[in-house]
Amino acid sequence: MPSWIGAVILPLAGLLLSRPAGADVKARSCGEVRQAYGAKGFSLADIPYQEIAGEHLRICPQEYTCCTTEMEDKLSQQSKLEFENLVEETSHFVRSTFVSRHKKFDEFFRELLENAEKSLNDMFVRTYGMLYMQNSEVFQDLFTELKRYYTGGNVNLEDMLNDFWARLLERMFQLINPQYHFSEDYLECVSKYTDQLKPFGDVPRKLKIQVTRAFIAARTFVQGLTVGREVANRVSKVSPTPGCIRALMKMLYCPYCRGLPSVRPCSNYCLNVMKGCLANQADLDTEWNLFIDAMLLVAERLEGPFNIESVMDPIDVKISEAIMNMQENSLQVSAKVFQGCGQPKPAPALRSARSAPENFNTRFRPYNPEERPTTAAGTSLDRLVTDIKEKLKLSKKVWSALPYTICKDGSMTAGAASEEECWNGHSKARYLPEIMNDGLTNQINNPEVDVDITRPDTFIRQQIMALRVMTNKLKNAYNGNDVNFQDTSDESSGSGSGSGCMDDVCPTEFEFITTEAPAVDPDRREVDSSAARLSHSLLSGCLVCIVLALQRLCR
């Protein structure tokens, strides 16, 4: 046989063998592909009417095909776009959870602070009148600093609260001793006796424990919601590698090129492609789960001993109680201060006063339950925390589950019932390779995606670090410590703002928080008790001193 005959017959035989069984030698129509391609919004000018030889294809099998080079390029870009949209849509739940809950918590905490400040102002104006208004900046500064701390300001809560009580002692000391003149140096000496004399009773110590732990937990929890929101938003915007794009094109649109536009990928085939494309996202899962666990722990604190609502709601009554303690012990406090700081100089002659302002003799009237400010943001901390806990639990393992969630979508794959009638990357048949495990290192033998396991995604690693830092802050907040004020050489040392005690170390302090920190109670027993004490105090022998103080301040 002449050599040229063999040169013609062998390629012809190869072409015939490459066609589907039972097919005619005549090229098949691309009508079905043209319809599907046009439905994607592409121009039909790119697509042939009948199959052509596929030597030009770079991704799909180089057999008879309905795809031109232009079609393969456009479909490759289309597969990239659809993949990015799929990941963003699939992670929508976790992103929306953090966005909406952060907004709700932030609204709640800000309104809670506003309500507490308004409540204190209203109560003290009615109770102390001009005395309070002339010294109101001491209390305004307290709330300003609390707000600044909550919004991320560099505020040491313990130092700030100590300063508040020291300033209040200075003002009160002058009011109960109007017959003397006190220099700045003398008042500084007075403030040094705050801890020794305990002029305000045990209220400052107890309130400090409550406020620091509650605010640390609240601020850290909201910061955690912010970090979760940002990480979820960033990770959901993927940038597929060239190897991933090739695998996506082969899975999603090579059926078009083979004249099988209605055949969907096999489920296991889809899983291997997605596990290869989302290998770095899966590596986020371990740190993400630790972060969610830490958020849940702080949430439990917010429901219990660190409940900021039960701290801020009665703060006006607590401070009023401290002021009453000071009034009742004014003689003893003054005597000890005079002994330690020296006898002050007499004040210039006071203008005589025949009567105190009328409103000062009015009996203290506490809020009735229906008069107190309404719950912040139309909800309660307990309801907010219960809701967020449920959502947080659902978001665990979200990143390693992405491939399964995407491939389970009925519009993506053929499903388990069609394992023999699905696209396996080469033809319409069962997919045989095993499914890869999760994570980057497990993709070394991925049969579908070329993954460089030696080069982890830098962007994902940054998100892992952000989660790690936030998890550490949450753990500190759970223990009552403010990480911002700790010795960075030993973050677990327990130094800094907050008591640094666990339940088994400081049971008395936790006992106070859980038993004495009043929850929202319609009976308002503690308010009524303080009201009775205040009424008694205002009608006691201290009235003369305060009248004199009013004269001095108002002249």
Side-chain angles (χ1 to χ4, degrees), residues 60-203:
C60 296
Q62 293 182 334
E63 301 172 0
Y64 267 82
T65 182
C66 287
C67 284
T68 61
T69 300
E70 293 78 10
M71 285 179 64
E72 191 178 41
D73 289 343
K74 288 181 179 179
L75 289 172
S76 182
Q77 286 301 311
Q78 179 69 15
S79 64
K80 173 181 178 294
L81 180 63
E82 290 182 8
F83 169 71
E84 291 170 348
N85 290 338
L86 266 173
V87 174
E88 197 160 354
E89 290 171 9
T90 306
S91 60
H92 174 75
F93 166 77
V94 67
R95 288 185 292 113
S96 64
T97 291
F98 280 91
V99 169
S100 61
R101 270 55 188 184
H102 174 270
K103 181 180 178 181
K104 194 69 176 176
F105 265 79
D106 185 61
E107 177 187 358
F108 174 83
F109 286 129
R110 288 176 186 271
E111 194 169 320
L112 185 69
L113 292 178
E114 293 291 338
N115 285 353
E117 184 173 13
K118 182 180 184 301
S119 177
L120 183 143
N121 184 73
D122 291 347
M123 175 191 285
F124 279 35
V125 165
R126 290 186 302 165
T127 304
Y128 301 106
M130 189 61 67
L131 260 180
Y132 166 71
M133 289 186 280
Q134 290 174 334
N135 295 277
S136 61
E137 76 276 4
V138 175
F139 304 93
Q140 291 169 356
D141 289 347
L142 169 66
F143 283 96
T144 297
E145 289 300 288
L146 289 175
K147 292 172 188 175
R148 193 162 74 87
Y149 173 83
Y150 169 70
T151 55
N154 187 25
V155 177
N156 186 309
L157 285 174
E158 288 193 356
D159 289 348
M160 183 271 290
L161 290 169
N162 289 339
D163 183 60
F164 165 74
W165 292 112
R167 289 178 65 194
L168 187 59
L169 174 60
E170 291 178 11
R171 299 295 179 94
M172 290 283 300
F173 193 74
Q174 293 177 82
L175 293 175
I176 63 176
N177 293 286
Q179 68 274 32
Y180 295 109
H181 170 73
F182 301 102
S183 65
E184 291 295 326
D185 290 340
Y186 196 98
L187 291 175
E188 186 176 342
C189 178
V190 172
S191 65
K192 291 179 181 178
Y193 279 80
T194 307
D195 292 336
Q196 179 182 340
L197 297 177
K198 297 192 185 317
F200 299 111
D202 206 28
V203 173

Side-chain angles (χ1 to χ4, degrees), residues 343-516:
Q343 190 70 21
K345 296 179 180 179
L350 294 173
R351 298 178 183 177
S352 64
R354 297 182 180 179
S355 62
E358 183 180 347
N359 68 327
F360 195 77
N361 289 319
T362 304
R363 289 178 61 85
F364 169 66
R365 182 176 62 85
Y367 281 105
N368 290 321
E370 63 272 13
E371 289 180 316
R372 292 196 62 81
T374 56
T375 307
T379 186
S380 69
L381 186 64
D382 289 341
R383 285 199 292 272
L384 280 174
V385 171
T386 299
D387 172 66
I388 192 63
K389 281 171 63 178
E390 293 304 313
K391 297 296 190 298
L392 288 173
K393 290 173 184 176
L394 293 175
S395 69
K396 289 192 71 173
K397 300 184 178 179
V398 65
W399 305 112
S400 61
L402 269 181
Y404 298 91
T405 307
I406 291 173
C407 294
K408 191 169 61 177
D409 185 354
S411 64
M412 170 65 73
T413 63
S418 305
E419 289 185 2
E420 303 291 343
E421 301 292 320
C422 55
W423 175 252
N424 65 7
H426 302 280
S427 61
K428 183 180 177 181
R430 177 183 289 270
Y431 182 76
L432 298 177
E434 66 175 338
I435 303 173
M436 297 294 101
N437 290 324
D438 301 326
L440 186 63
T441 57
N442 290 317
Q443 307 311 308
I444 187 170
N445 294 317
N446 192 309
E448 310 305 337
V449 188
D450 183 16
V451 182
D452 185 354
I453 66 169
T454 64
R455 298 182 63 184
D457 188 295
T458 304
F459 180 75
I460 295 295
R461 265 51 197 176
Q462 290 173 348
Q463 307 314 306
I464 290 174
M465 184 55 64
L467 289 172
R468 192 169 294 162
V469 170
M470 192 65 241
T471 299
N472 184 58
K473 284 189 176 184
L474 289 163
K475 289 179 178 178
N476 276 280
Y478 175 79
N479 293 327
N481 302 324
D482 196 339
V483 71
N484 291 347
F485 297 105
Q486 288 193 332
D487 182 354
T488 54
S489 64
D490 182 9
E491 291 188 338
S492 61
S493 66
S495 62
S497 181
S499 68
C501 301
M502 290 295 288
D503 301 44
D504 56 340
V505 180
C506 303
T508 56
E509 293 179 353
F510 271 88
E511 182 181 354
F512 165 73
I513 293 175
T514 54
T515 60
E516 290 191 24

